[in-house]
Structure formats: structure tokens, C-alpha cells
Amino acid sequence: MEWFESEDFWKNYGPIMFDEAHWAEAPAVADRVKKLAGLKDGDTILDAGCGVGRISVELAALDLKVTGTDIIQAELDTAAESARDEGVEIEFVKADMRKWCRPAAFDCVVNLYTSFGYCDTVEEDMAYLKNMCDCVREGGTFIFEGTTREIAAMYFTEGEWFERAGYTVLTEFGVVGAWEGLRSKWILIDKEGMRPRIEHEFVQRLYPASFLRDKLLEFGFSQVQVYGDWEESPYDHKAATCVIVAKM
């Protein structure tokens, strides 16, 4: 089992990664997704790697028909609870996107917030990417947002510390190979000293935006645009993130 398949990992680190600031930005991200994809009320959208439903719930609130997939049942249970609390209907599916595909079923597929590049091999990453692409119907849109090789290099830091969810959080980062990957170590120390110290280290494989763009073209998209933020700014030395919008 790979680390991202561990229920314990997400139980410990989920509240650290998805803090109030990330929840607060979700409505604006969902709104931009709908506009960039040109979606109409009632259109179908797949949130691949939906986690706790941060974006899924907001997409559903915009009158889209949402399906969310994730490999962790506890995350899906939390997402379903959030959907009930907000009064929206969402289909949640426990699925490994390396193997799961619903061919040509969605008007839009999204993969957001650095939820790509963690598989053991490039081949598995590409299977994940292709399955997401194959879920897009003719005339549909695929939207990716996350950390590329360029973004990782521009904003690289060796580490930091902050306080969140009752923990002091220490992070350490390092470059793997010739920027093939980014090694991250997260250490959680309970501020009250009641819970044991927790450590986890993982590597995210880093792809250049141009590589992902070319793969999407190879997978059948006719137009692929790369932006530096959600407002369609240029993907250059001022880019805040990488947003790729691919049209069938």
C-alpha cells in the first residue's frame, strides 16, 4: 500500500493540509472552473481526487451535477457529510484513478490542489492522467491545477514551521535528482504534549508544464492552454501556480 492510500495519514495530516484558508478559497476556485470550462447548470463534472469535498461541494452549489472520486473512504465520508450539511447532492465513488474510468461521461474533469505525481512510477502517473482524460466527453474540458517543476523551483524553500490544528508543524524540503521530484518531510508536534510526535516523508514527482500540455494533446485534446493562475495570467516567472485548461 502506498502512503496516500493510508487512512491514518489523512486522519493526521488532513486538518493540516486543508486549513481554513484553503476552505475559504474553494467558492472562487469552483466559480473559475465553471467559467473556464464554459459549463451550464446541470452539466456533469468529475472531481478526481476530491478528498474531503472542498471543491466538490462548491461545484454542486453552482448547479452542476458532481461526481467525486477518492481512494480514501474516510475522506469520502467527510465529503458526503459536508454535502448533506450544505444541502447539495453529489455522487461519491471510492476509486483508484490509476484503474478507474467512466469513458466519455463528463462535460468536465478536474484534478486540483497538487493531487498528482505521487505514484511509484511515471507509467502509473500517466495511467492516472489518461484515465481522467478518457472520462471527458467530446467537446468537454479537463482542468489541472498543481505544482509543476517550474513552480516548485520558483517557490522552493528548505523548510518552515507554523501552528495549525493544535500542532506545531515543521516542514523540510529537498530536491530529488535533477528536479525530478520534491521530497517533503512533515513533523507534527502536539502543542499540549498529549499526543505523540508524528513524522511523514514523501516524494512528489515533478513534471514540466510543457510535458503535461503535450501529453494532453497526445491523449486527444485539440486545444491546451497553460496559465499562471486562475485569472488566466501568463505562465511565466510571475506564475503563482499552474492551471492547464484542455478542450476536446
Side-chain angles (χ1 to χ4, degrees):
M1 183 176 69
E2 299 192 53
W3 65 267
F4 53 79
E5 299 177 72
S6 167
E7 298 266 353
D8 286 342
F9 171 83
W10 293 107
K11 178 181 177 181
N12 292 323
Y13 285 89
I16 307 300
M17 295 182 172
F18 300 103
D19 62 345
E20 291 183 4
H22 284 106
W23 281 93
E25 71 185 12
V29 170
D31 185 66
R32 289 303 297 161
V33 164
K34 187 174 182 180
K35 290 177 179 177
L36 285 170
L39 297 173
K40 307 180 298 297
D41 291 359
D43 280 350
T44 56
I45 184 166
L46 170 65
D47 185 3
C50 67
V52 293
R54 187 175 62 100
I55 303 297
S56 296
V57 169
E58 299 300 335
L59 291 169
L62 294 175
D63 297 314
L64 298 173
K65 187 176 180 181
V66 181
T67 297
T69 61
D70 203 272
I71 203 168
I72 300 297
Q73 186 61 51
E75 297 284 278
L76 293 171
D77 291 343
T78 299
E81 183 178 352
S82 295
R84 287 193 296 270
D85 289 345
E86 296 300 320
V88 296
E89 292 187 10
I90 300 174
E91 176 194 21
F92 289 110
V93 180
K94 186 177 188 298
D96 182 341
M97 288 301 303
R98 293 169 292 185
K99 305 172 184 176
W100 185 90
C101 183
R102 193 177 287 173
F106 300 95
D107 297 300
C108 181
V109 175
V110 298
N111 182 246
L112 309 176
Y113 188 54
T114 311
S115 54
F116 181 75
Y118 299 104
C119 298
D120 277 348
T121 66
V122 173
E123 290 75 19
E124 286 180 286
D125 280 345
M126 292 304 103
Y128 186 171
L129 182 61
K130 189 172 190 307
N131 280 341
M132 289 190 289
C133 294
D134 287 347
C135 288
V136 181
R137 62 170 48 112
E138 189 68 29
T141 307
F142 173 68
I143 299 178
F144 167 93
E145 185 270 328
T147 301
T148 54
R149 187 173 295 174
E150 299 87 4
I151 296 298
M154 280 197 294
Y155 295 103
F156 179 77
T157 177
E158 292 185 353
E160 59 183 350
W161 74 274
F162 52 89
E163 295 183 349
R164 187 175 297 163
Y167 286 103
T168 297
V169 183
L170 309 176
T171 61
E172 300 173 5
F173 303 106
V175 177
V176 176
W179 283 101
E180 284 98 346
L182 183 67
R183 187 180 307 280
S184 301
K185 184 176 184 180
W186 292 62
I187 302 169
L188 309 184
I189 301 173
D190 182 17
K191 292 170 62 177
E192 302 298 326
M194 302 297 290
R195 294 170 289 184
R197 173 187 174 115
I198 303 171
E199 295 188 15
H200 183 76
E201 184 174 304
F202 59 91
V203 173
Q204 179 188 9
R205 189 175 291 102
L206 299 172
Y207 296 98
S210 58
F211 176 89
L212 296 175
R213 177 201 62 203
D214 293 348
K215 275 294 178 183
L216 293 174
L217 290 168
E218 178 186 322
F219 292 160
F221 290 93
S222 59
Q223 301 176 42
V224 183
Q225 298 293 327
V226 183
Y227 301 113
D229 58 29
W230 284 107
E231 301 304 318
E232 302 173 71
S233 299
Y235 185 70
D236 57 18
H237 62 290
K238 296 181 181 179
T241 186
C242 177
V243 177
I244 302 178
V245 181
K247 300 282 187 177
M248 274 290 186

